[in-house]
Amino acid sequence: MTESLQKRLQQEYEKYKIGHKEYQKLLSIRQQLDSQLLENNVVKEEFSILEPGTTVFKMMGPVLVKQDLEEAKQNVDKRIEYISNEIKRHDGTLQELDKKQDAHRESLSKIQQQLQQAQMKAAMQA
């Protein structure tokens, strides 16, 4: 009995570890998205300070390319919208993973209790 419980405990722990790694990976991506959003919001603020007709340059590889101010503003707005949507999507996935992790923790706890009870019964019988 204790061997099967130990095997179940090990399997559940492996599932928990896999979920935890996935959670950490998504959290890292989420943090990158946050910094990109912040960076783009700073650019948007800078654009709002500029006067119409101001020359704006966009870096494309090692070259600066002239770009229309309105076009640059639209590009930044689109990026902000895209990043915001990605953040929402990642938040949803993180919440789902959180729930799965809670279920794994609860399952691990139950199996550990069952294992301890089985070990106590075995010790009493010995």
Side-chain angles (χ1 to χ4, degrees):
M1 168 111 178
T2 59
E3 287 179 23
S4 68
L5 284 174
Q6 286 177 338
K7 192 173 185 176
R8 279 181 46 207
L9 183 68
Q10 185 64 32
Q11 290 171 343
E12 192 64 32
Y13 180 68
E14 289 301 320
K15 289 178 188 176
Y16 176 78
K17 275 186 8 182
I18 290 169
H20 184 69
K21 283 182 182 179
E22 189 176 344
Y23 185 86
Q24 292 299 321
K25 182 180 173 184
L26 280 174
L27 194 58
S28 174
I29 292 170
R30 170 68 164 79
Q31 289 170 341
Q32 287 176 335
L33 288 169
D34 269 339
S35 67
Q36 288 175 356
L37 183 63
L38 181 64
E39 188 177 304
N40 279 280
N41 280 326
V42 168
V43 171
K44 185 176 180 175
E45 276 183 43
E46 291 292 321
F47 280 166
S48 70
I49 296 171
L50 298 177
E51 294 178 17
T54 303
T55 304
V56 177
F57 293 92
K58 177 180 184 177
M59 182 163 261
M60 295 183 85
V63 179
L64 287 175
V65 178
K66 198 173 191 179
Q67 188 176 28
D68 179 53
L69 179 59
E70 285 305 311
E71 183 182 345
K73 284 181 180 181
Q74 289 173 355
N75 287 341
V76 169
D77 288 339
K78 286 178 187 175
R79 260 185 279 157
I80 289 172
E81 182 181 343
Y82 174 78
I83 293 169
S84 296
N85 289 336
E86 283 297 299
I87 287 173
K88 287 177 189 171
R89 189 174 67 80
H90 276 77
D91 284 345
T93 306
L94 286 170
Q95 286 177 348
E96 288 175 24
L97 283 175
D98 241 354
K99 289 176 185 175
K100 285 181 183 178
Q101 291 294 87
D102 288 344
H104 286 304
R105 277 189 222 103
E106 192 175 312
S107 181
L108 282 169
S109 178
K110 286 179 183 178
I111 294 170
Q112 284 175 329
Q113 288 175 352
Q114 291 172 354
L115 185 60
Q116 287 173 348
Q117 290 172 354
Q119 288 172 342
M120 286 176 60
K121 283 182 185 177
M124 296 280 237
Q125 291 174 354

